[in-house]
Amino acid sequence: MSRFIRHYLKPASAVLSLGGVAVAHGEPATAQRDLSSSNDQSRRSNSVSVDHSTQKSSVTSQTVERVHVVGHPFNTLHTSNDMGRMPQDVMHTAQTIDVVPRELMKQQNAKSLDEALKSVPGITASVGEGAGGMSGDQFLIRGFPAQNDIYEDGLRDFGVYTRDNFDYDSINVIKGPSSEVFGNGTTGGAINAVTKAPTLQNHAGADFSGGSGQYYRGTVDINRRLGAHTAFRIEGMGNSNNEVGRNTVFSHRWGIAPSVAFGLGTDTTVVFQIMHQSNHGVPDYGVPAIKKPGDSVARPITEYGVRRSNWYGKPQDEDKTSDTMETMRLTHHMNSHITFHNDLRFGEFSRDYTASNLDCGGGTTCGALFGSDPASATVPRSQHTNHGAGGGPIPYKQWSWSVQNVASMQADFHTGFLKHQLITGFDMEYVHDKRQQYTFLNPTAEVNLLNPNPHNVGNLNKVRADSGSAWKNLSNLKGVGQKPDSNGYGFDTGIFLYDQIWFTKWLSVKGGFRWDRWQTQYRSFGGNPSQANAHNDSTQNVLNPSASLIITPNKWQMFYFTYSSSTTPMGMYVTNGSIPVRPGTESAANKPERAQLYEIGSKMSLLDDRLGATISLFRLDKSNALTTDASSGQSIATGDGQRNQGLELSLGGMILPGWNVTATYALYDPKITSSSSAAERGRMIQYVPHNQATLWTAYEAFPSKPWNFTIGGGVTWRQGVWLDNANTARVPANVEFDSMLSHRFNRHWSIALNGYNLSNRLNYNSLFSSYATPAPGRSFLGRISMDY
């Protein structure tokens, strides 16, 4: 049925009613009850959604069932934002929202959040799949850090790890400041993963993948109806792989996500979910950037013929994480006008981290690479003053926990001829972090640049940094000292209110605000006995307004102008850095980062809702911009002013039955508008490309024949970017060609083969201020899938 609707039903935007009345275009979405009588793909990102409406006559009340066809899975404009705080669908939300549907993730066989976001314009990843990285998943949205702006079902994920997408149904990227909805942060935007939830239709699925780099992966997804309104679902994942084209780097992880839902199809629905994921991998800081004699710009050494497979770490390097989140989501429809939501989450996170990074700065022998004896080129990994005797970032163990509760009310009502959709509520979150630092008592030898031997380091004698005089290997931070142990917390209380008012069916305005009080405390202790323990705290009150003008002249197009703002207090990064609050002597560094967005855009659903297109022009200004220290992962306020302005285009949907396409383009003008360094004013912002584009298309041939097949492919292109704000180090453009071929034996079994980076081009995934990590080389992955 769903295949028939996806491929052949026209018009896809029709509302099939049994005595019901369709909601007119441009009007507020009424409170809907998700029956979940089909699988969750139809619930969120497929062609059909089912809801109940209650209509009262003069005699009695009757329940009316309606089937609402909302478009094809690749036209994501009619996709729900799946949050009580964002009740409109993507098309009628006055902001750029890019959606990665499950069908696209399946065609591309995306295994992680990082891989799934490859098709989203304006996303730059600081950490590639399998790399582990200094702070888990780190993304930039429109050029600005978003490492603390990752959400699941609208609740913040404070964990520091590489996220697998085994329990994701879709991923929404909300562009621009979104403090009104998500609270502090979201300077460039927010990444919200929509998870799979129980439905009232029994379902069992599994798949197994294997291929290049000793890649082995298996997933399972089982849903069972337990009663008239109750269902249970469980997803599981096991993944093991080496990084293709990189020596020694590997990633092993497993996860499980059970959930149970009560009251499906009734006025009150409660969903309980647990997600656990464990990772064990090797962090990869890549290769250093170096200037060739006569050049003014440094480039990765792999651009000069050094093997892309060279890894300069040590056997002690590892990244072990364990992350668990327990979530309860409640929805209650009081009547046809008022709906309540309450979302509650507990999180527990731990990490054991040791890594190595390189520096080809002054005093090293990296320059010998361009001399008469290139084989003599080496780079040190032992920096007592900054990184301990063993080299690289300070090893540490981390334990964190968090709790967040968001309660909101949606009210649809009239005041005279004006129609309102009012959203109000409160948000409380608390996150606590404890960290113990380690160091190596013995130094590690320099590593050869052409032929590194990561195993030739001997016993480095790793110990707690508060053991004996081991603290002497720690950096003597101003106002903090040489303190190996720390703990701290952040506590936020937020209140939000915004109202959309319709003057006519086609003209509305939306405005509101969010007020937050963010409190952070940080304590460091132990270590140098001659230094007092440090205790630092910060309290900040912030107000972030927003306003939009929305025009919907007909059911297939929408125009908007939006202004929004966001604030990022320094203390937000409790789990992302060892010093979330700077000491009092550096109080200027504790000033919040502020951002303002001006955006005008249009969204159009074309070809009977088979194809969706968006265009937006924006200007994003940021003051006291944050940057990330490459070694520690610490977020540091620079005091700089930055601006990114540009154009974004997207196109997604079904051109013809069986032929889907997803295409994006982004043109950016990222500039440093003010800086304490005169040389940086007017320079391009680090990591932000001037141009980038993606294209993915697939065609299903002979769908009803035994010899059916689906063939597809695409390209991802990112122009070269600067690695630093001084524009003295640069990586070249990324160009990656991918492909897929699949065959369906019947409605239950299928096989697929995916190819990645078919040209085996030297691309770069992870970007740092003085080095970059080569992306995986050419690889192939086969998959067999079962779906009952």
Side-chain angles (χ1 to χ4, degrees), residues 437-441 460-467 470:
Q437 293 184 335
Y438 288 70
T439 187
F440 297 100
L441 297 182
L460 299 181
N461 197 4
K462 180 179 177 180
V463 298
R464 280 277 303 275
D466 63 351
S467 301

Side-chain angles (χ1 to χ4, degrees), residues 115-126:
E115 290 185 6
L117 293 176
K118 283 202 311 183
S119 59
V120 177
I123 293 282
T124 304
S126 297

Side-chain angles (χ1 to χ4, degrees), residues 638 640-642 671-686 724-728:
T638 63
D640 292 354
Q642 297 179 350
K671 292 291 178 63
I672 300 173
T673 55
S674 63
S675 174
S676 57
S677 172
E680 293 187 4
R681 287 194 289 268
R683 303 287 190 180
M684 288 186 66
I685 303 171
Q686 65 184 142
D724 60 345
N725 285 334
N727 293 176
T728 62

Side-chain angles (χ1 to χ4, degrees), residues 276-310:
H276 175 82
Q277 182 181 319
S278 290
N279 292 353
H280 181 206
V282 171
D284 187 3
Y285 277 66
V287 299
I290 186 173
K291 288 183 181 179
K292 186 177 181 179
D295 289 352
S296 60
V297 175
R299 292 177 173 83
I301 59 173
T302 42
E303 294 299 304
Y304 304 113
V306 176
R307 291 194 303 267
R308 67 199 293 177
S309 60
N310 283 1

Side-chain angles (χ1 to χ4, degrees), residues 655-726:
I655 299 176
L656 293 172
W659 183 12
N660 67 272
V661 63
T662 300
T664 68
Y665 172 71
L667 171 65
Y668 292 155
D669 180 25
K671 292 291 178 63
I672 300 173
T673 55
S674 63
S675 174
S676 57
S677 172
E680 293 187 4
R681 287 194 289 268
R683 303 287 190 180
M684 288 186 66
I685 303 171
Q686 65 184 142
Y687 311 140
V688 188
H690 186 54
N691 290 276
Q692 64 182 126
T694 68
L695 172 66
W696 177 266
T697 185
Y699 179 71
E700 183 179 9
F702 314 110
S704 60
K705 304 296 183 180
W707 52 86
N708 70 86
F709 65 90
T710 300
I711 186 170
V715 59
T716 302
W717 170 64
R718 183 194 71 207
Q719 198 171 9
V721 298
W722 296 102
L723 296 178
D724 60 345
N725 285 334

Side-chain angles (χ1 to χ4, degrees), residues 51 173 202 238 252 258 260 280 309 345 530 559 574 594 599 694:
D51 66 280
V173 181
N202 289 337
H252 305 319
V260 60
H280 181 206
S309 60
R345 169 171 295 161
S530 65
F559 303 91
V574 175
R594 299 185 183 275
E599 179 171 313
T694 68

